[in-house]
Amino acid sequence: MSNFDELHDRKNSHSVKWNAEFLDKMFGKGDVLPFWVADMDFRAPEKLISNLKERAEHGFYGYEFRPDHIKEKIIEWCYRRHEWEIDPKNLTFAPSVLSAISILLELESREGDGVIIQPPVYYPFEETIINSKRKPVYNKLIEEKGFYRMDFDNLRECAALDDVKIMIISSPHNPVGRVWSEAELVETATICEENGVLLISDEIHMEFVFDHLFFLTTAQLEEKLRRNTVQLFSAGKTFNLSGNTIGIAHFNDRDLQSRFNSFLTRFHLNGVNVFTTTALETVFTEGESWFDELLLYLEDNLDYVESRLKEELPEVKLFRPEGTYLLWLSFAEFGFKGRELEKLLMEKASLALDPGRWFGEDYASYARLNIGCSRKLLEEAMDRLIGVFGGIKS
Ligand SMILES: Cc1ncc(COP(=O)(O)O)c(C=O)c1O
């Protein structure tokens, strides 16, 4: 059994989540409790730590190739967990999920072209599009009675624009936590296919699904639709390995895959990190029970936050996520303007949450809370939130 309750001191590391210097740069204050960035405060599975130690003790870190059986382990995992049958030829490793997105933008669109995203959404999508000199085209999610859904009427209009070439979805969706249904995925993929828009499905959070819901990858859609999609995932979120970066791309179109591979070769982006090989091999063969326990722990954390807010701070609206360990909270009932909410969170509560405005300009009264931490830490966060915001309402 793993001890997810254990508290760990990560301040004396270069963790972007915890390092005071880094926090100061990001938030203007170093001495805060961090609940931002999708990085969990749980120690990796013991078997991973011991295998990495063993690999380090080997003492040779020269050039290596990535053995074929790594792909087999990933394929077996995806089949066991999602009934997703993968042909090993369809998989390509990339430096990270975001770098795979950048490469796809480069290959499948030109400067000035439009790329559809659905705010509120993981902010590096927009940054990546802008850095690639493409244009974000926004198909905002619609919120109704605490539930977010896609705006298909607007999506049809966006996809039909001449210069729109790509759509990126987050599935499950960071930060609102939707696990898209088959009907929603079919409709999205159909609109993209009919308009010649490549659908990039970022499925990095696919293992984090609660309440016995089933995650469906866009690779399982009917042939005509899936041919026009690329799936991206990684072990980074599942096993909290994001500092050991590697992305996995699944292609359904060999021509696009071959151009992607050529790009990796041309820019020497297909080198192998010797520790990543050990990490992937270990987690995909021996990490499953650790992950299953983790998921239960996260679900308990979610129930805990939900019940405390309901009982002690109902003005803060939680959009109970179907998936991901990221909670989207609305503070709109307090009527804050501009950065008032951020100031209260940082200065009064000394909590670093991802400010809502990072996810889109309309979300200044929202914040994202990462519950991938020990219950004790989460209790401290809830005490502080309720202390500060409970004081405002009275
Ligand atoms: C939706 C989503 N995509 C991609 C990433 C980053 O992936 P990578 O580190 O492999 O680029 C994250 C990290 O938080 C994420 O939440």
Side-chain angles (χ1 to χ4, degrees):
M1 284 285 282
S2 299
N3 184 2
F4 297 113
D5 277 331
E6 203 173 335
L7 288 165
H8 303 282
D9 184 1
R10 300 180 67 195
K11 284 189 189 145
N12 57 357
S13 72
H14 295 125
S15 158
V16 302
K17 188 176 183 186
W18 280 91
N19 180 279
E21 225 178 288
F22 197 88
L23 284 168
D24 193 39
K25 251 192 257 160
M26 286 302 292
F27 295 95
K29 191 172 174 188
D31 181 22
V32 284
L33 263 192
F35 295 87
W36 71 295
V37 69
D39 173 321
M40 299 182 284
D41 295 321
F42 305 120
R43 226 168 110 84
E46 282 310 317
K47 188 67 188 162
L48 174 59
I49 297 169
S50 64
N51 284 358
L52 286 174
K53 274 188 190 159
E54 197 181 303
R55 180 62 190 84
E57 276 167 14
H58 178 53
F60 294 92
Y61 316 114
Y63 295 121
E64 287 195 355
F65 66 94
R66 189 175 288 115
D68 285 343
H69 70 261
I70 301 286
K71 276 191 186 172
E72 288 309 324
K73 297 298 166 205
I74 295 170
I75 290 168
E76 283 164 25
W77 171 279
C78 289
Y79 186 70
R80 270 200 315 280
R81 302 208 58 105
H82 307 292
E83 295 170 23
W84 178 7
E85 287 182 59
I86 298 180
D87 178 342
K89 289 199 214 73
N90 293 0
L91 292 182
T92 292
F93 290 97
S96 67
V97 165
L98 282 174
S99 61
I101 291 178
S102 298
I103 295 170
L104 289 166
L105 295 186
E106 196 63 33
L107 294 175
E108 288 297 284
S109 64
R110 297 199 184 143
E111 281 190 18
D113 280 348
V115 180
I116 302 171
I117 52 174
Q118 308 197 101
V121 73
Y122 177 58
Y123 37 89
F125 285 174
E126 185 186 55
E127 286 162 12
T128 304
I129 294 165
I130 291 170
N131 290 343
S132 306
K133 301 198 168 54
R134 273 63 171 168
K135 186 180 60 187
V137 174
Y138 303 106
N139 181 47
K140 281 172 50 182
L141 297 178
I142 297 174
E143 191 246 301
E144 256 168 11
K145 298 187 185 132
F147 192 73
Y148 278 92
R149 61 179 176 82
M150 295 190 199
D151 183 346
F152 289 114
D153 292 335
N154 188 57
L155 180 58
R156 255 176 229 106
E157 284 177 26
C158 294
L161 295 171
D162 277 348
D163 59 358
V164 166
K165 299 292 178 334
I166 297 179
M167 174 174 191
I168 309 173
I169 58 168
S170 176
S171 176
H173 189 102
N174 169 6
V176 307
R178 278 298 317 282
V179 174
W180 304 116
S181 68
E182 180 169 3
E184 287 168 310
L185 292 173
V186 167
E187 189 143 7
T188 307
T190 303
I191 294 170
C192 286
E193 196 269 335
E194 285 173 355
N195 289 282
V197 171
L198 174 72
L199 180 59
I200 301 177
S201 187
D202 176 343
E203 302 180 354
I204 198 168
H205 293 281
M206 68 178 172
E207 306 303 342
F208 297 92
V209 171
F210 302 124
D211 299 329
H212 307 291
L213 277 168
F214 185 78
F215 164 78
L216 183 77
T217 164
T218 43
Q220 282 162 316
L221 302 179
E222 66 169 290
E223 163 69 15
K224 180 171 131 206
L225 298 180
R226 73 166 171 256
R227 223 183 17 237
N228 183 49
T229 65
V230 178
Q231 292 69 40
L232 303 175
F233 61 104
S234 119
K237 296 287 163 256
T238 315
F239 293 100
N240 213 28
L241 286 176
S242 294
N244 199 328
T245 76
I246 185 82
I248 305 164
H250 176 268
F251 288 89
N252 306 276
D253 171 346
R254 287 276 154 73
D255 172 59
L256 177 56
Q257 182 176 24
S258 138
R259 285 184 290 117
F260 189 91
N261 289 344
S262 302
F263 192 99
L264 293 177
T265 306
R266 180 175 155 211
F267 289 97
H268 301 278
L269 295 171
N270 40 15
V272 169
N273 178 306
V274 297
F275 293 105
T276 303
T277 300
T278 302
L280 291 180
E281 185 171 17
T282 308
V283 296
F284 284 117
T285 44
E286 299 179 84
E288 201 154 1
S289 57
W290 180 90
F291 182 75
D292 286 337
E293 285 170 34
L294 169 73
L295 202 56
L296 291 176
Y297 194 89
L298 292 172
E299 200 157 0
D300 276 354
N301 271 359
L302 168 58
D303 291 342
Y304 169 76
V305 172
E306 188 174 43
S307 83
R308 280 209 67 186
L309 287 178
K310 212 168 173 180
E311 280 157 30
E312 297 172 69
L313 197 60
E315 295 78 5
V316 174
K317 187 155 126 198
L318 163 69
F319 295 82
R320 185 179 170 98
E322 296 169 327
T324 84
Y325 52 85
L326 306 161
L327 308 191
W328 188 235
L329 303 175
S330 166
F331 293 75
E333 244 184 71
F334 290 102
F336 297 127
K337 301 243 160 42
R339 302 207 178 177
E340 267 175 313
L341 169 63
E342 285 168 50
K343 275 181 101 174
L344 280 169
L345 286 169
M346 289 301 298
E347 287 167 24
K348 292 265 188 289
S350 281
L351 293 172
L353 275 60
D354 300 76
R357 79 188 149 83
W358 289 2
F359 300 84
E361 60 185 15
D362 296 339
Y363 306 101
S365 56
Y366 293 72
R368 192 189 74 176
L369 174 80
N370 175 350
I371 56 166
C373 63
S374 78
R375 175 63 65 79
K376 255 211 148 28
L377 215 60
L378 201 54
E379 280 169 10
E380 178 64 32
M382 295 314 293
D383 288 348
R384 290 186 192 192
L385 268 185
I386 290 160
V388 169
F389 292 89
I392 293 175
K393 68 176 182 174
S394 55

